[in-house]
Amino acid sequence: MKNYEKILEYVNGFEIVDTHEHLPPFEPQEESRSDVLKEYLTHYFVRDLLSAGLSKELLRKVVNPEIDILERWSMVEPYWLAARHTGYGRVLDICCRDIYGLPSINRDTIVQLNKLFRETSSSGIYKKILKEKSRILFSIIPCNDDYDREFFRSVGYLDHFIFPIDFNDVRYIESRAGIQISCFDDWLEACEKSFNYLINSGCIGLKIGLAYKRSLRFNRCTKNEAEQEFNRFFFSRKHLVERMVENLGFETGKHFQDYMFHFIMHMANKNQMVVQIHTGLLEGSGNILAHSDPTLLTNLFIEYPDIRFDIFHMGYPYQNVVGALAKMFPNVWIDMCWAHAISPEASIRALVEWIDS
């Protein structure tokens, strides 16, 4: 135990840079954090509950603060007990114990937990949890706008240039860049302006979350191929007519998406930026896991040697592959954000294998 204690003491002295958070850029007001079940079942563990059989209809009741919390606990309890030993479930019990002093989340503690949660949701919770308890120097959030510099740094988000969903994205891009988009060159100019804005505003990298929407394989294609697809979705008669009156969706082509991705990588490469890429498990219930396989990024590692690629979530369940990629490429870095909650055991095994290899 002597060596273990020495290592633990050393680790406990760290100041941490938290590389990936989705916290609000400014501390929420008390009224927006009104209920512990609503808060805890916003993401992650709720997916385990749904996989365990909780219906979406019942979930809507469980997260409704207007219903008595014990009544809601009775609704969710069978599924909670079935899933509580997953990584997601254990994180919530750790939170309950370390922040609120209660042994775990159960029928006997839920009322007291909710009371303590509401009491500690007032101003100052960021400082108490992030700074004092967790010793986080700063957390990195995907944010193109202002944020609290005491707690956060930002990575820019340009996915909407690669995979726009509808004309709301186009309007947003036009307003941010100050450009009326009427051709593909305008789109490229707006993208370059937005990139430069991120650089000048102090963004420390870019965040790519496109695996939720498409494959991470980005091929080379010509500007002409990309422009043809841009014209196809942007200038169709229906889009032009309805653009001004409603949120009209459209489907972009792969040539357009791939070209825009490489256009952005070219700028990142010139500026020797860090690029964070979501790989592996996709939050939510249902998606195409193969789209997030980190081996799909191999051509990027070769083509952009001056970009430091920060590979998110240790690529779980592709963590052994990520270890091999980091061994092969000096510009590939493993990021374990979220991994400790997805699977604590897999995270431990991966660390051992990476150190060994």
Side-chain angles (χ1 to χ4, degrees):
M1 286 297 292
K2 185 176 181 182
N3 287 336
Y4 172 83
E5 289 166 357
K6 286 171 65 177
I7 294 171
L8 182 62
E9 181 182 4
Y10 177 70
V11 169
N12 282 337
F14 284 170
E15 269 194 317
I16 297 167
V17 173
D18 178 355
T19 58
H20 181 57
E21 279 297 343
H22 286 292
L23 291 168
F26 292 93
E27 189 170 282
Q29 298 301 307
E30 183 175 359
E31 58 269 19
S32 67
R33 295 167 53 85
S34 60
D35 183 87
V36 73
L37 284 179
K38 181 180 178 181
E39 179 85 4
Y40 283 7
L41 298 184
T42 300
H43 289 295
Y44 309 134
F45 186 54
V46 67
R47 305 304 171 182
D48 289 345
L49 298 180
L50 291 169
S51 293
L54 178 67
S55 70
K56 291 184 178 179
E57 180 183 1
L58 193 57
L59 174 62
R60 283 191 287 271
K61 296 179 181 178
V62 171
V63 297
N64 182 358
E66 301 299 317
I67 302 174
D68 177 75
I69 195 162
L70 265 180
E71 182 180 346
R72 287 183 287 140
W73 177 259
S74 295
M75 298 176 192
V76 77
E77 185 176 34
Y79 311 101
W80 196 295
L81 294 178
R84 74 173 317 141
H85 295 296
T86 64
Y88 293 157
R90 286 148 65 190
V91 163
L92 294 181
D93 273 344
I94 291 169
C95 178
C96 177
R97 183 185 69 237
D98 288 1
I99 296 177
Y100 303 108
L102 299 172
S104 66
I105 304 172
N106 56 55
R107 175 175 293 275
D108 295 331
T109 63
I110 190 65
V111 173
Q112 179 67 4
L113 174 61
N114 195 43
K115 178 176 179 292
L116 293 170
F117 174 83
R118 288 178 169 176
E119 289 174 354
T120 57
S121 294
S122 57
S123 178
I125 191 69
Y126 274 9
K127 183 175 182 181
K128 177 181 178 183
I129 301 300
L130 299 178
K131 294 288 189 182
E132 297 173 4
K133 192 162 191 64
S134 302
R135 299 186 307 282
I136 294 175
L137 188 62
F138 58 82
S139 300
I140 299 174
I141 56 174
C143 181
N144 291 357
D145 297 299
D146 198 17
Y147 54 90
D148 191 333
R149 265 70 172 176
E150 180 181 359
F151 302 105
F152 302 118
R153 300 294 183 272
S154 71
V155 285
Y157 193 76
L158 297 175
D159 285 7
H160 47 285
F161 281 101
I162 303 165
F163 203 108
I165 301 298
D166 52 44
F167 272 109
N168 278 343
D169 282 342
V170 176
R171 295 186 191 103
Y172 171 79
I173 287 167
E174 288 177 330
S175 66
R176 292 298 295 257
I179 294 176
Q180 177 75 46
I181 293 172
S182 59
C183 64
F184 187 48
D185 283 337
D186 291 341
W187 189 266
L188 297 177
E189 182 183 352
C191 184
E192 191 166 3
K193 274 190 146 186
S194 297
F195 180 88
N196 290 333
Y197 170 82
L198 295 176
I199 292 286
N200 295 331
S201 65
C203 277
I204 59 176
L206 294 178
K207 167 70 193 302
I208 305 294
L210 290 169
Y212 281 93
K213 302 172 183 176
R214 52 151 290 165
S215 165
L216 288 178
R217 174 67 189 186
F218 297 95
N219 296 318
R220 285 285 183 178
C221 61
T222 66
K223 182 180 179 182
N224 183 56
E225 290 172 320
E227 187 169 15
Q228 286 181 23
E229 292 188 348
F230 173 86
N231 291 340
R232 194 174 302 134
F233 75 77
F234 195 82
F235 292 112
S236 74
R237 181 178 178 185
K238 183 179 179 183
H239 289 163
L240 287 175
V241 170
E242 299 190 23
R243 175 184 179 187
M244 305 305 295
V245 295
E246 68 173 273
N247 173 12
L248 184 72
F250 46 64
E251 184 175 346
T252 59
K254 190 174 186 300
H255 288 315
F256 167 81
Q257 296 167 20
D258 288 359
Y259 184 88
M260 289 307 304
F261 184 89
H262 281 280
F263 182 78
I264 291 170
M265 289 301 102
H266 176 70
M267 293 187 290
N269 197 53
K270 282 169 54 177
N271 288 273
Q272 297 186 335
M273 291 189 73
V274 173
V275 175
Q276 299 180 327
I277 303 182
H278 180 110
T279 67
L281 189 71
L282 299 157
E283 203 280 328
S285 297
N287 209 317
I288 302 174
L289 184 62
H291 281 177
S292 64
D293 183 341
T295 58
L296 297 170
L297 299 166
T298 303
N299 64 311
L300 304 180
F301 305 151
I302 296 170
E303 292 179 45
Y304 301 106
D306 291 330
I307 294 178
R308 177 179 289 197
F309 289 97
D310 191 32
I311 305 303
F312 265 19
H313 316 316
M314 73 175 186
Y316 179 89
Y318 303 104
Q319 59 268 26
N320 292 336
V321 169
V322 170
L325 290 170
K327 187 176 178 70
M328 292 172 63
F329 293 100
N331 59 335
V332 173
W333 298 72
I334 302 170
D335 196 320
M336 294 187 73
C337 59
W338 195 30
H340 66 288
I342 296 171
S343 175
E345 182 63 28
S347 297
I348 292 168
R349 289 200 306 269
L351 269 175
V352 171
E353 292 192 22
W354 296 335
I355 293 169
D356 185 57
S357 65

